[in-house]
Structure formats: C-alpha cells, structure tokens
Amino acid sequence: MLRFDEKEKNNINFRIISIFLASISVMIWGFRVFYMSTEFPWMAIVSVLIILMSVASIAIIVLRHTKACWIETIEWGLLVCSLIGFGVWTYIQILNNPSYGTDELAFDQYAFYLVMHHINPYISSMKPAFEMYHVSPIGYTFTYSGTPVTTLSYPALSFLLYAPLWVVGIHVQNAVWTNVLFWAISMVMVFIVLKKNYRILAIVLFSWSFYVGFMEGGITDALMIPFLILTAFGWDRFAKEFKRTWWVPISFGLAMSIKQTPWFIAPFLVISLYIECQKLGYSRNKSIKILLLYIVLAFISFIVPNIVFIFLNPAAWIRGILTPLFSNIVPSGQGIVAFSVFNHFGGGNLSLLSYGSLLIYLGLLVVYTLHYPKFKPWTFFIPSILFLFTTRSFASYFADLLPVVLVSLFNYHPTQPTELSKKTIRLIRRISVYSIMPGCILVILAFRLTGPLHIQIDNIHTTGQYATIDSVTLNVQNDSSHKVTPHFTMDTGGQYTTFWNIVSGDQTILPYHTEKIVLQAPNVESMPPITGGFQVVGFTEHPYSVSPSKSYHPALWHVILTPEAIDRQITLGKKVVLIAKVVNRVNQPIKISNIPVYLGQVIYGQSGLEFAQTKINHGAIGQTPIKALTNSQGEAIFNIDSAVASKDPVYYEANLINSKSFYPYGYSNTVSILFK
C-alpha cells in the first residue's frame, strides 16, 4: 500500500474532491446536450459519452486510484469533455435562437462589417445593427430621454478579433462563436497555469450556467479574459524579470483595447509594480524607469489596434470609447442602484451616486497601497468593488473577473509587509478617509433624495387571450419644486423595455401637480405579460433621476381544468364534465363561491381557427365563452356534449375576468376533446 505524508494526503484528497465536482459539471453538460437528440440523433451519442466519462471519473476516484497518471488522465479527459459539451450546447442555442441577445454584441459585429467595407464605425450609426442581427428591443441600451444608444462604445479590438473566424469562413453568428472560442481558450489557459492541485477548478468555474449564458447571450467580456489571465499569471514578476515577462504589459494593453473594465485595474497594477520595485531594493530612478517601461508597452499595445481609427477621426474615437462612462445611460444592474430602481430608496439625483463611487474607488486605491502585501492577491478583484456603487452595475462586471482572480490567487508571490513611517501611515490613512468618507456621504445623500415623481398605476388594458398589457393609465404626481418632463418605460424581470409612447396627458408636469397619463406599448416585445408583476419607471434629466411605481400584479389567480387530458374519443351524445378550479400562484385552491369563470371553445384547424359545435352547460350550440360561478370549493362545473362529429378535436380553455377593468386573465391549461 502506498504511504503518503500528511501534506501529500491532503493534496490528494483535495484533488479527488475537485475531480468529483468537475465530473458533476461535465455530467451536466451531457444533460444539457441531450434534449436536442430527437432533432439531431448524433447529439445523443455525444451526450452519453460525456456522461459516461464523468461517471467513469467518479468511479476511478471512488476506487482510490490516486496515482498521478490516473489523476492526470482524468483531469484532461474532463477538460476535453467540458469543451465539447460547451461547443455543442452553443450550437444548439444558435439554432434555437439565431438572434443576438444584446446591442453590445450586435454593435461589435456591425462595426466589423463596416470595417470590411472600408467604413469607419466610430462615425457611423449602429442603428442598422438592430435589424441586421435581429436584436430584441429589450436588448437595447437606453438613455434617460428614452432613446437607444446607437454609437459604437468599445475600443477597436472588441470587433477586430472577429477577423480570424471570418477568414476561415464562419460568418453566421461570428460574434457568438468568437465569444465561445475565447471562453474555451480561457478555460484551457486557467487549467494550464493553475497549480496541479487546483487546475481542475477551471472546469467547475467555467461551466457555471450564468457564465455560459453570458457567452452565448451577448456579453463580449470573454474576449478580454485570456489577455487578463496572461496578465495575472505574471503581473508581479515584471519588476524582477521585466526582460523575460515583457508580454505582461502587452497582454494587459490588449485587454484594455477590448473593453473599459480593465481600465479600472490599471492604477492598482501601477502601484503594485512600483512597490515591488522598492521591495527589490531598486533606486527610485530605476523603479520609475521600470514603471514607465510597463506603461509604455501597455499603452502601445492599447493604441496599435486603434491607431487607424484614431488617425481617421480622433474625436469620434474618443467619444465612442468613453460612451459607457460619460453618457446619460439609464441606471440598471445588481449593485446598490437596485435600491432606487426597485425599492424607492433615493433616485432623486443619481449623479451623486456616480461621484460617490468615484471617491470610494480612490479610497480603495489608497487602502490597497497602505495594506499592499495583504491585498496583493486581490489586485484584480478590489477594483470591481467600484461597480457595486455605480449606476450601471451588472453581474458580468464582477463575475467575469473571477477566473482572473483565481489565477492571481494561486500564482502570486508573497511580498513582505512594507515598513512605513508613522507619518506616512497617518498621511495615507488621512487621504483614504478624506476620499472614502465623502464618497459614502454622497452615496447616502443619493439615497436620501427621492425621485421627483410619484407614479401610481390606475388602470391597464390587455390584449385579451394574448395575455399581455398594451396600455397603462397612470396618475403621475410631481413632488419637486420645478417642472419635469419624464420618459416612461416598463421594468419586467429587471430589464427595461422600449420606452412607451404617451398618447394622452401632458408630458411636462408642473411642480406639485398631478397628471393623468396614458401610455401605449411601442411594440410587442415591450408588452409585459399579465401573468407576472411589472413596474412603470419614469426617468428625468437635469438632474438624472429615476422614479419607479409600486410593483403591479395584474393576475395572481389562475384556473386549472381537470381532467387535464382526455385521451379517448367521446361518443356523440355523451357528456364530459370539466371542472375549473380557481387557484393562487402556487396552485393552492381559492375556496370562494360565486367567482365567474369563463370557458371558451375553438377548433384549431390546419387552415386556421374554426367554430366549435359543442354545447356547454345550458348555452346554445357553439356558444363561446360560457360563464359559470364557482361553488364553495372554488370550482366551476362545465358539462359538455356534442351532437356533431368533427375530424379535429375541440379545444377548451377557461379564464377569469378582472372585475374593475374587465380584462381576461388567469388562463387555464388547454384540454382537447375529439367527438366521434
């Protein structure tokens, strides 16, 4: 029997647990792929092989085959299976939904299209990208005035990286496949650069569902991740081995040339490099020279992909890459701004939140400098704390940096604490307090100033059986001392729709005045379903503010028809009893009598809708809908018979009617009956 010392035994146990978790992640890939096997039978083979590989990996570690060669083979096998699963799953998603999920992805793809036609994308409107790549209106980015952003908002490498796949002939969904390719490259890179005891964690981390959703759904962060991984792998060796690690600042510069997120990491890396130089005993001049070398290499690698566009129109290029930072884009995301958007805390002047987040960021930079050795492993994570306080704070801003943080945590070299004089420590602490405290005060003040509007949903109009809301009547009160001109949109599931049109009422509301405003949906995609809650959100400029209404739930009850299926043919003249049960949103019975329930009948013929000829309760033949009242158990009884046979089944569906606005809601399951 092999004998291990305690440390080696712990390492093996950790690798075994990691392999188990990775095997489960790979098995889930197999399950994801399987559901398209009917349409593509070869996917069943891929699915089963992936599942067998994961089961075999678990079996091997259960049998305690802990030799290095076994573990090495399992880890590489799981990595390959994970990559295959990811690729096949992406193929399935593209087939099911070939549209681009965000304007971000569509703009980058369209920018590359313009470049291929010798047009500068930074001076061109990106509006044609919406139609060209079939972006849903809920994927637009809007300003406070309700207009979508139509300018290219990222540095040039964000779309120039589409060229390799374009050259090899992948033109359809090029942007998505490029995202997937770079995410796969990132997974392999993390797997390779992590120490052997931890590298299997790459499979677990990169297989998380929200990650793969980001990659397929339209988040271009995947393009910068490989470059940031290279940066994190050698970032703290540049001071000592700058001649051998010249690629570190170059990779970081390329990452900055894809998206703005790495820009906020740059000051932390510069401070870290200078401290590392001082730790090595370099003189101040030599430390500055190494620092300048890093900055110059990073700057050159940032500029090179953009140089043509800078030369063509520097003002347009600068305006484009600064759009996400300085344009009046509406607040959204999972940071503290959600308190204003959803919970009515603050929202009166969101500029205060922006200024406060900037001061907090500066304070974090100072604290990082003061406690550098302790915070060194978190160099690539601490800057992302900024996005908790900004008005745009999406989950991708935090989560997409986690692979980079993982590489940094397991590859950095510990640094001895800095011995600073008491005077220097006091000065740094004072600076941090003077930046963080005002920042926190501004954030608190931002939540003390409430939005200028009090929005109350007075009535809604629905599309009937289509079960969406196409018009809303509001009572909007201006609580401020100045007149405002708000723009309104709907928030459903944390996403804004296209801003709605005002068809009645004055858009400009006088101070302390209440206006009745009727909004109409601009398109089908912007209509919230009556089966879920929504809220109306009003935005105003000067200052930038947000005022949400209370969450509105148009339908909390619905109907269940039983039996849920009638599998046999019904003989003419024989009655069928359908029971319509009124239930709440978790299907608990509503035992209230005299609730009107309406049952409709129709035939869905191959050539279109046809009138059904059955008799429901005491109604006439073919009459639809028929009303019945619930009994004390909350059940409405419908007796159905037919004297006419039909070649197609008759479909029955029940619903409720709102007693105030008279819109139908709470549609039941559909039951089909074939009379012979």
Side-chain angles (χ1 to χ4, degrees):
M1 181 180 292
L2 295 174
R3 296 181 181 274
F4 306 102
D5 59 33
E6 192 65 27
K7 183 177 180 180
E8 188 176 359
K9 184 178 179 181
N10 290 336
N11 288 337
I12 291 175
N13 287 336
F14 181 83
R15 292 186 77 176
I16 289 174
I17 294 172
S18 300
I19 289 174
F20 176 77
L21 294 175
S23 299
I24 298 300
S25 298
V26 171
M27 187 182 297
I28 292 173
W29 279 121
F31 296 154
R32 287 170 175 161
V33 170
F34 182 78
Y35 81 93
M36 283 291 286
S37 298
T38 302
E39 186 173 353
F40 302 97
W42 59 269
M43 289 188 181
I45 299 175
V46 175
S47 171
V48 172
L49 290 177
I50 290 175
I51 294 171
L52 287 176
M53 175 62 194
S54 61
V55 172
S57 301
I58 295 173
I60 290 172
I61 61 173
V62 167
L63 295 173
R64 305 297 292 181
H65 289 289
T66 54
K67 289 185 178 180
C69 60
W70 280 101
I71 294 179
E72 190 93 5
T73 303
I74 292 172
E75 290 174 341
W76 279 101
L78 291 174
L79 176 65
V80 171
C81 287
S82 183
L83 292 172
I84 293 173
F86 183 32
V88 173
W89 181 85
T90 302
Y91 175 69
I92 294 171
Q93 301 309 308
I94 290 175
L95 289 179
N96 288 340
N97 184 18
S99 304
Y100 281 180
T102 64
D103 56 356
E104 175 183 346
L105 200 66
F107 285 5
D108 285 341
Q109 178 73 79
Y110 184 63
F112 181 75
Y113 169 83
L114 293 177
V115 170
M116 296 295 291
H117 288 78
H118 311 290
I119 301 174
N120 182 2
Y122 289 100
I123 62 172
S124 305
S125 171
M126 296 289 109
K127 190 175 181 179
F130 296 142
E131 183 176 348
M132 183 177 292
Y133 302 108
H134 310 289
V135 182
S136 170
I138 62 173
Y140 296 1
T141 300
F142 293 97
T143 64
Y144 281 85
S145 61
T147 57
V149 174
T150 56
T151 56
L152 183 60
S153 308
Y154 301 104
L157 202 58
S158 63
F159 55 86
L160 294 180
L161 287 175
Y162 297 158
L165 291 186
W166 184 276
V167 170
V168 300
I170 300 178
H171 299 171
V172 178
Q173 292 284 314
N174 176 279
V176 173
W177 282 116
T178 302
N179 269 1
V180 171
L181 175 62
F182 273 75
W183 191 247
I185 291 172
S186 300
M187 183 191 297
V188 175
M189 289 177 64
V190 173
F191 184 88
I192 292 173
V193 302
L194 286 184
K195 297 175 182 179
K196 286 189 175 182
N197 289 340
Y198 310 108
R199 66 184 185 183
I200 199 70
L201 294 176
I203 298 174
V204 179
L205 179 63
F206 280 77
S207 296
W208 286 354
S209 58
F210 67 88
Y211 274 142
V212 297
F214 284 162
M215 298 313 111
E216 184 273 332
I219 304 298
T220 59
D221 293 25
L223 305 185
M224 70 180 180
I225 300 302
F227 300 105
L228 287 177
I229 289 172
L230 282 176
T231 305
F233 179 64
W235 64 284
D236 65 338
R237 288 186 288 149
F238 187 82
K240 186 177 182 180
E241 307 171 13
F242 56 88
K243 292 183 179 179
R244 295 173 54 190
T245 56
W246 50 268
W247 44 269
V248 172
I250 292 177
S251 62
F252 185 66
L254 293 174
M256 291 194 296
S257 189
I258 295 171
K259 210 165 184 180
Q260 292 84 354
T261 308
W263 297 5
F264 298 96
I265 302 175
F268 288 81
L269 291 181
V270 169
I271 289 174
S272 170
L273 178 59
Y274 184 80
I275 294 177
E276 291 291 335
C277 288
Q278 294 293 294
K279 291 292 183 181
L280 292 171
Y282 296 160
S283 65
R284 179 175 296 180
N285 288 338
K286 185 176 181 179
S287 299
I288 293 175
K289 287 181 180 179
I290 293 175
L291 192 62
L292 289 176
L293 175 64
Y294 188 100
I295 294 173
V296 169
L297 289 175
F299 182 75
I300 291 174
S301 60
F302 169 75
I303 289 295
V304 167
N306 294 277
I307 190 65
V308 174
F309 307 104
I310 297 173
F311 177 77
L312 291 174
N313 194 322
W317 176 78
I318 293 174
R319 187 166 54 249
I321 66 172
L322 295 181
T323 294
L325 304 180
F326 297 106
S327 59
N328 57 334
I329 299 177
V330 295
S332 187
Q334 290 78 29
I336 63 174
V337 72
F339 296 154
S340 297
V341 175
F342 297 102
N343 302 106
H344 309 274
F345 296 148
N349 189 342
L350 293 177
S351 297
L352 296 177
L353 202 58
S354 299
Y355 299 142
S357 63
L358 178 60
L359 290 174
I360 290 174
Y361 173 77
L362 295 175
L364 290 173
L365 194 61
V366 174
V367 172
Y368 172 82
T369 305
L370 180 62
H371 301 282
Y372 172 72
K374 184 184 298 184
F375 290 157
K376 179 180 178 180
W378 304 98
T379 299
F380 292 87
F381 177 76
I382 294 176
S384 66
I385 297 175
L386 161 72
F387 299 113
L388 287 172
F389 301 94
T390 56
T391 57
R392 302 281 290 181
S393 53
F394 293 109
S396 59
Y397 298 165
F398 318 103
D400 289 347
L401 289 177
L402 291 183
V404 183
V405 174
L406 187 66
V407 172
S408 175
L409 284 174
F410 290 111
N411 286 280
Y412 81 100
H413 298 81
T415 301
Q416 293 297 321
T418 305
E419 294 183 3
L420 301 174
S421 65
K422 292 183 178 180
K423 183 178 180 181
T424 303
I425 293 175
R426 283 197 300 268
L427 177 62
I428 294 177
R429 286 178 175 172
R430 195 170 299 167
I431 294 174
S432 65
V433 170
Y434 288 163
S435 57
I436 291 180
M437 285 299 294
C440 292
I441 291 172
L442 287 178
V443 169
I444 294 172
L445 185 59
F447 287 112
R448 293 287 296 173
L449 298 176
T450 58
L453 305 176
H454 178 74
I455 302 173
Q456 182 179 358
I457 299 175
D458 183 58
N459 199 3
I460 65 173
H461 183 271
T462 76
T463 54
Q465 197 167 355
Y466 193 62
T468 59
I469 298 166
D470 60 358
S471 180
V472 176
T473 301
L474 307 175
N475 289 320
V476 183
Q477 179 178 325
N478 180 7
D479 293 329
S480 68
S481 58
H482 57 278
K483 65 180 181 179
V484 295
T485 305
H487 304 270
F488 300 95
T489 185
M490 299 290 166
D491 180 284
T492 58
Q495 283 189 307
Y496 298 134
T497 69
T498 306
F499 278 58
W500 284 38
N501 300 316
I502 298 177
V503 295
S504 178
D506 194 347
Q507 185 174 4
T508 300
I509 307 174
L510 298 176
Y512 309 111
H513 182 73
T514 300
E515 186 75 25
K516 183 179 286 293
I517 293 176
V518 179
L519 302 178
Q520 190 173 56
N523 48 56
V524 172
E525 288 82 0
S526 298
M527 298 179 185
I530 63 174
T531 54
F534 70 94
Q535 63 178 5
V536 177
V537 184
F539 293 100
T540 60
E541 301 178 281
H542 314 299
Y544 297 130
S545 69
V546 58
S547 303
S549 70
K550 291 183 178 180
S551 182
Y552 189 87
H553 297 273
L556 296 178
W557 293 356
H558 64 280
V559 182
I560 295 178
L561 282 180
T562 58
E564 295 188 8
I566 298 176
D567 301 324
R568 66 187 187 280
Q569 296 180 357
I570 303 299
T571 305
L572 294 180
K574 186 176 181 180
K575 287 190 176 182
V576 177
V577 178
L578 290 182
I579 300 175
K581 300 179 180 180
V582 180
V583 297
N584 63 14
R585 64 191 310 172
V586 292
N587 287 347
Q588 291 179 317
I590 303 297
K591 297 182 179 181
I592 300 177
S593 59
N594 296 321
I595 300 174
V597 179
Y598 296 82
L599 183 70
Q601 58 174 316
V602 69
I603 295 175
Y604 295 104
Q606 181 170 281
S607 302
L609 297 179
E610 301 174 9
F611 291 107
Q613 297 297 311
T614 65
K615 183 178 180 181
I616 306 174
N617 289 348
H618 301 293
I621 294 175
Q623 183 179 346
T624 184
I626 295 295
K627 182 176 77 170
L629 300 177
T630 58
N631 55 28
S632 59
Q633 297 300 308
E635 298 176 349
I637 311 299
F638 295 95
N639 295 283
I640 302 170
D641 62 65
S642 178
V644 180
S646 70
K647 63 178 181 178
D648 296 316
V650 181
Y651 295 83
Y652 300 89
E653 186 178 33
N655 65 273
L656 304 171
I657 296 292
N658 180 272
S659 59
K660 177 183 177 182
S661 302
F662 306 106
Y663 59 82
Y665 72 97
Y667 286 94
S668 70
N669 52 303
T670 302
V671 177
S672 63
I673 304 176
L674 181 62
F675 291 94
K676 290 292 184 179

